[in-house]
Amino acid sequence: MIVTDSEQRISDICAEWREDGLTVGFVPTMGAFHRGHLSLVETAAVASDRVVVSIFINPTQFGAGEDLDKYPSTLEEDCASAESAGASAVFIPQTDAIYPAGFSTGVAVSGITQGLCGAVRPGHFDGVTTICAVLFGIVRPDLAVFGMKDAQQLAAIRRMVSDLRMGIEIVAAPIVREPDGLAMSSRNRYLSAEEREQSSLISRGLEAALSLFRAGERDCEVLRNAFLMTLKDASVLRAQYVETVDPDTMLRVETIDDRVLLAVAVFAGKTRLIDNILIKSEV
Amino acid sequence: MIVTDSEQRISDICAEWREDGLTVGFVPTMGAFHRGHLSLVETAAVASDRVVVSIFINPTQFGAGEDLDKYPSTLEEDCASAESAGASAVFIPQTDAIYPAGFSTGVAVSGITQGLCGAVRPGHFDGVTTICAVLFGIVRPDLAVFGMKDAQQLAAIRRMVSDLRMGIEIVAAPIVREPDGLAMSSRNRYLSAEEREQSSLISRGLEAALSLFRAGERDCEVLRNAFLMTLKDASVLRAQYVETVDPDTMLRVETIDDRVLLAVAVFAGKTRLIDNILIKSEV
């Protein structure tokens, strides 16, 4: 497996692969891999001939007071596990190579990024769409894989790729969970034992809402309240938002017609966790 | 020559050309061709195997009260002259095909677009960079040609293409002028006889500044004043801005070290004209 910090090198390698008729799958990450990331790499490896994984802790998607400085970095383990999961190359660029002096272009998706995490993390999604546009330009993948845990990010990237005719297939990979249901996250490592234990209630609350839907409930307020009720005795959990939205537009849904995304952000102590579930009829 | 309004068709044609090892040059325009446009097409035809010209009056780069509604449209003549100049295809998309329902992505270049035209046409350059990103995505050219008359646009596009690693060579084509010096513009047709006559003073003012520089003057205020003095007796001309800037960053320059762009916007009656000259030592 190739590991490089050179934009020119990864760009050349991908160009060679394309010239050889090989398809290139891409998984952009910030490192600190858990099984969720590895499932993205595995998904890309099934769907394409070569997989490039980027590891870049993108400063522009962190706000003031967020955890940029303490964001975990585990490069050696990450490379080893990326290789096991099927990566052909890992691209680990320096910040000042990605954003050279004079860099001044931003790519922003409006609407989709307004609510949910966008409302509480101003500028976050502009940072995400811009870095993805840059990395897509460098790698020029045939497809890129994003996790459904970051549902709003997935919707924004899909919109950008479609609007700017980037010609990249965006593949969504399901949320990977711990045995007790907690969605995998690089930030789970910050949880105290008590926070960790109570955090399993987040996915349980989402499931409670899904059960109500399957029992016939179509009023989203009832589903949102079912989530909140599940958390009500959890002393170290505090919901930041609980929203029911269309999974493509991220616009609020009040009565379920076809399907709805129940998306939540919950503080477990000082650690902010997000999770979501797509609520729809079984087919 | 191919003429199409179909994004899929132009995209397929360009892909075929690339597969055949042919390079694709691109000239994005708003139509209403004059010799300035044709020089862009000729430049592209010299530098690439196939030339695509797009004609699209992009609504998002016009501000409220600007001349979107009366912007000239001369499609038949445009296609004929594009073919004469060496175009292989003309792409004339519909507005709602370029911006389908739900379109919500913007590409913006900060800094470069702040002063000059950007200061008096808010949102204009965001519209320009976004439509160019869209058209670049559709056509995927090897190179694209832009005129130096729109110097700030050229600098913004160069920055976007570099920042987002679009892999497109941006070629700058010199300003084409009428015999009396007036820069070619689709808006020149709006000038009354008196406005048209006095408008030749714009290029004369730029030349006056260049002469002062060649005589040893390095103070940009003196050059700007030389431009304004040339216009002082022109009853129907009114300078909107007269700026001396670095041609790459569009940041103001007060003392010339190496080179400076003298860029101006002048109202001739109600018609807004822009022009500029790169002031540097002869080599």
Side-chain angles (χ1 to χ4, degrees):
Chain A
M1 188 184 70
I2 295 149
V3 178
T4 181
D5 68 352
S6 163
E7 172 176 337
Q8 188 64 57
R9 177 133 193 258
I10 198 72
S11 185
D12 288 348
I13 289 165
C14 293
E16 279 169 34
W17 285 335
R18 281 191 303 274
E19 275 167 37
D20 291 345
L22 300 171
T23 59
V24 177
F26 180 44
V27 182
T29 80
M30 300 207 299
F33 289 172
H34 49 67
R35 283 191 290 114
H37 293 102
L38 300 180
S39 84
L40 306 181
V41 179
E42 289 159 4
T43 300
V46 168
S48 49
D49 299 316
R50 294 288 181 274
V51 175
V52 176
V53 175
S54 66
I55 300 177
F56 180 63
I57 301 176
N58 176 35
T60 70
Q61 71 191 71
F62 288 82
E66 289 187 353
D67 58 351
L68 171 62
D69 293 338
K70 63 165 189 167
Y71 199 87
S73 177
T74 57
L75 285 181
E76 270 186 52
E77 300 93 309
D78 288 353
C79 287
S81 54
E83 182 162 24
S84 307
S88 301
V90 178
F91 175 45
I92 313 176
Q94 298 293 313
T95 303
D96 57 3
I98 290 293
Y99 300 119
F103 186 101
S104 42
T105 304
V107 182
V109 174
S110 57
I112 286 171
T113 63
Q114 204 166 4
L116 307 175
C117 292
V120 292
R121 301 186 71 186
H124 168 70
F125 286 111
D126 294 355
V128 168
T129 43
T130 301
I131 186 60
C132 284
V134 168
L135 293 170
F136 288 168
I138 294 169
V139 173
R140 296 175 188 256
D142 297 281
L143 68 88
V145 184
F146 289 84
M148 290 169 70
K149 180 160 147 303
D150 298 298
Q152 193 173 13
Q153 166 178 283
L154 173 66
I157 297 287
R158 278 195 198 283
R159 189 76 244 176
M160 173 184 76
V161 165
S162 167
D163 285 349
L164 301 185
R165 278 70 164 181
M166 288 177 164
I168 300 167
E169 183 189 349
I170 301 300
V171 176
I175 298 174
V176 177
R177 300 182 178 282
E178 301 285 357
D180 69 350
L182 177 63
M184 297 270 179
S185 166
S186 303
R187 292 175 173 116
N188 289 353
R189 68 191 72 191
Y190 302 137
L191 300 172
S192 70
E194 187 182 24
E195 289 161 0
R196 173 66 191 81
E197 196 188 333
Q198 293 188 11
S199 294
S200 68
L201 292 173
I202 299 169
S203 63
R204 211 177 305 163
L206 298 175
E207 292 288 344
L210 177 63
S211 297
L212 281 178
F213 170 82
R214 293 206 168 140
E217 185 59 61
R218 292 296 179 267
D219 181 343
C220 289
E221 188 175 8
V222 176
L223 302 191
R224 296 194 301 265
N225 284 337
F227 175 82
L228 285 168
M229 283 302 290
T230 310
L231 263 59
K232 79 173 188 335
D233 295 328
S235 55
V236 299
L237 300 187
R238 180 175 60 79
Q240 185 184 38
Y241 67 71
V242 180
E243 286 287 354
T244 44
V245 296
D246 177 281
D248 295 324
T249 63
M250 296 287 140
L251 292 176
R252 195 168 213 196
V253 173
E254 287 296 357
T255 305
I256 306 176
D257 182 20
D258 175 34
R259 56 185 195 154
V260 75
L261 186 80
L262 174 59
V264 304
V266 174
F267 277 99
K270 291 183 172 175
T271 302
R272 184 174 175 277
L273 303 172
I274 61 173
D275 201 348
N276 66 76
I277 194 165
L278 185 63
I279 291 178
K280 59 174 184 175
S281 304
E282 288 170 292
V283 283
Chain B
M1 189 182 70
I2 297 149
V3 178
T4 181
D5 68 351
S6 161
E7 172 176 338
Q8 189 63 55
R9 174 130 194 260
I10 198 72
S11 186
D12 288 348
I13 289 166
C14 292
E16 279 169 33
W17 286 336
R18 280 191 304 276
E19 274 168 36
D20 291 344
L22 301 170
T23 59
V24 177
F26 180 46
V27 182
T29 79
M30 299 206 300
F33 289 172
H34 49 66
R35 283 192 291 113
H37 294 102
L38 301 180
S39 84
L40 305 181
V41 179
E42 288 159 3
T43 300
V46 168
S48 48
D49 299 316
R50 293 289 181 273
V51 175
V52 176
V53 175
S54 66
I55 300 177
F56 180 63
I57 301 178
N58 176 36
T60 69
Q61 70 191 69
F62 287 81
E66 289 188 354
D67 58 351
L68 170 61
D69 293 337
K70 64 164 189 167
Y71 199 86
S73 178
T74 57
L75 284 181
E76 271 188 50
E77 301 93 308
D78 288 353
C79 287
S81 54
E83 183 163 25
S84 308
S88 302
V90 177
F91 174 47
I92 312 176
Q94 298 295 314
T95 303
D96 57 3
I98 291 292
Y99 300 119
F103 186 100
S104 43
T105 304
V107 182
V109 174
S110 57
I112 286 171
T113 63
Q114 203 167 5
L116 308 174
C117 292
V120 292
R121 303 186 70 186
H124 168 69
F125 286 111
D126 294 356
V128 169
T129 44
T130 301
I131 186 60
C132 284
V134 168
L135 293 170
F136 289 168
I138 294 169
V139 174
R140 298 180 185 250
D142 297 281
L143 67 87
V145 184
F146 290 84
M148 290 169 71
K149 179 159 149 301
D150 298 298
Q152 193 174 14
Q153 167 178 283
L154 174 66
I157 298 287
R158 278 195 196 285
R159 188 77 243 176
M160 173 185 75
V161 165
S162 167
D163 285 349
L164 300 186
R165 277 72 164 184
M166 289 179 164
I168 300 168
E169 183 189 351
I170 301 300
V171 176
I175 298 173
V176 177
R177 298 181 179 282
E178 301 286 356
D180 69 351
L182 178 63
M184 297 271 179
S185 166
S186 303
R187 292 175 174 117
N188 289 353
R189 67 190 72 191
Y190 301 137
L191 300 174
S192 71
E194 187 182 24
E195 289 162 359
R196 174 64 191 81
E197 195 188 334
Q198 292 188 12
S199 293
S200 69
L201 292 171
I202 299 169
S203 64
R204 211 178 303 163
L206 298 175
E207 291 289 344
L210 178 63
S211 297
L212 280 178
F213 171 82
R214 292 204 168 141
E217 185 60 61
R218 292 297 179 268
D219 182 342
C220 290
E221 188 175 6
V222 175
L223 302 191
R224 296 193 300 265
N225 284 336
F227 175 83
L228 286 168
M229 283 300 292
T230 310
L231 264 58
K232 80 174 187 334
D233 295 328
S235 55
V236 299
L237 300 187
R238 180 175 60 79
Q240 184 183 40
Y241 67 71
V242 180
E243 285 287 354
T244 45
V245 296
D246 177 282
D248 296 323
T249 63
M250 296 287 140
L251 292 175
R252 195 167 210 195
V253 173
E254 286 296 356
T255 305
I256 306 175
D257 182 18
D258 175 33
R259 57 184 194 153
V260 74
L261 186 81
L262 174 58
V264 304
V266 174
F267 278 98
K270 290 181 173 176
T271 303
R272 185 174 174 277
L273 304 172
I274 61 171
D275 201 349
N276 66 77
I277 193 167
L278 186 62
I279 290 178
K280 60 174 184 174
S281 305
E282 289 170 292
V283 283

